[in-house]
Amino acid sequence: MTLLLHGRDGTRLEETAVGIRAGTQGVTVRSYLADLADLDQVRATAARILDVEPRLDVLVNNAALGGGSNPGQRETSRQGHELRFAVNHLAPYALIRGLLPLLMASAPSRVVDVASIGQAPIDFDDVMLERNYEGLDAYCRSKLAMIMSTFGLAAELADRQVTVNALHPAHLMDTRAVREYGLAPEVGTDAGVRPTVRLITDPDLETVTGRYFDRFTDMPAHEQAYNKAARTRLAALTRKLALT
């Protein structure tokens, strides 16, 4: 088995890779350094993977920014987009699009988008939240955007043997994002690993696509995720921002 590991801190990325190699037999680990707040780096990483890797069976988009330690402070990405929308939505979209040729060549393959039960509707008159900014609200909007793109891509790839699903892995895991925002963690990160691994490996889900799971349960996402006009509008905006 080969694991492709992404991170934005070179030292921590290499330490993690070394730890996995030491603790897991029969696993080859290759690491890719990129900052998801810079779409140029995201696209370059996808190009490197296409150039180096012979196949890609599963892509898991897990990295994300939470509400932040100063929820009233609006931040922007390298390209000037609202930071949570950029990192949590635009970056995984750009990565998936860049890696689609390899995913399709490796079919059957799977894409798993780690989203959240925290979802808030997108205001298309203020997508970048230039008015009344609040970090957790920005996070929830970005995660709904991710789910909407998950559903759109799943429909697009319905006959290509590439499944695309999203999930809320666990409630208030003990992560930096949860602690940083001032929330009290309720479960360890292992609780979120199990539902994610299920979407990666469960043979019963081999053809299941375009779904949102609350941990292990197939559940409806926010109602805006099923609004065709909103999905179409978001898709056009996302393509413009992420791919150009």
Side-chain angles (χ1 to χ4, degrees):
M1 183 176 73
T2 300
L3 173 66
L4 309 182
L5 190 65
H6 158 263
R8 64 185 177 93
D9 182 311
T11 300
R12 293 176 61 192
L13 180 60
E14 184 56 29
E15 288 174 351
T16 302
V18 168
I20 293 171
R21 292 187 191 108
T24 310
Q25 293 184 345
V27 175
T28 298
V29 181
R30 288 193 283 273
S31 58
Y32 288 87
L33 181 67
D35 187 345
L36 298 185
D38 185 347
L39 289 170
D40 290 339
Q41 292 189 39
V42 175
R43 291 189 287 261
T45 296
R48 289 200 303 273
I49 293 172
L50 286 182
D51 187 53
V52 172
E53 302 298 339
R55 63 180 300 111
L56 184 62
D57 299 292
V58 179
L59 172 61
V60 179
N61 291 304
N62 177 60
L65 287 176
S69 57
N70 184 358
Q73 180 181 352
R74 182 180 179 274
E75 302 170 283
T76 57
S77 69
R78 176 70 176 79
Q79 283 72 31
H81 310 314
E82 191 279 314
L83 190 59
R84 277 138 190 88
F85 189 82
V87 170
N88 300 350
H89 171 57
L90 295 179
Y93 177 91
L95 188 62
I96 292 170
R97 287 291 172 183
L99 294 175
L100 264 185
L102 191 55
L103 285 162
M104 290 189 293
S106 306
S109 54
R110 306 186 189 193
V111 176
V112 177
D113 287 333
V114 180
S116 174
I117 199 170
Q119 301 161 31
I122 298 160
D123 178 359
F124 286 99
D125 292 326
D126 188 24
V127 174
M128 295 301 165
L129 292 169
E130 295 178 297
R131 303 187 300 269
N132 302 317
Y133 180 85
E134 198 283 324
L136 186 59
D137 180 49
Y139 168 83
C140 291
R141 295 188 192 203
S142 72
K143 286 300 187 179
L144 180 57
M146 173 186 248
I147 293 168
M148 291 166 74
S149 285
T150 298
F151 291 171
L153 183 60
E156 179 183 332
L157 299 175
D159 60 349
R160 302 303 295 266
Q161 291 188 289
V162 181
T163 62
V164 192
N165 293 293
L167 84 155
H168 168 65
H171 187 59
L172 293 178
M173 287 186 292
D174 188 9
T175 65
R176 177 181 175 181
V178 168
R179 295 190 304 271
E180 189 176 61
Y181 191 76
L183 299 172
E186 295 184 2
V187 297
T189 54
D190 285 351
V193 170
R194 292 190 293 273
T196 306
V197 170
R198 173 175 172 259
L199 286 183
I200 295 170
T201 62
D202 191 338
D204 290 339
L205 298 176
E206 185 174 2
T207 60
V208 173
T209 192
R211 307 287 182 81
Y212 165 73
F213 292 85
D214 181 352
R215 289 159 283 196
F216 297 100
T217 305
D218 190 342
M219 296 284 288
H222 187 282
E223 62 183 5
Q224 192 182 48
Y226 305 96
N227 183 310
K228 291 184 179 180
R231 287 230 307 260
T232 299
R233 194 170 180 181
L234 177 66
L237 175 64
T238 301
R239 284 193 300 270
K240 178 180 176 181
L241 297 179
L243 302 182
T244 59

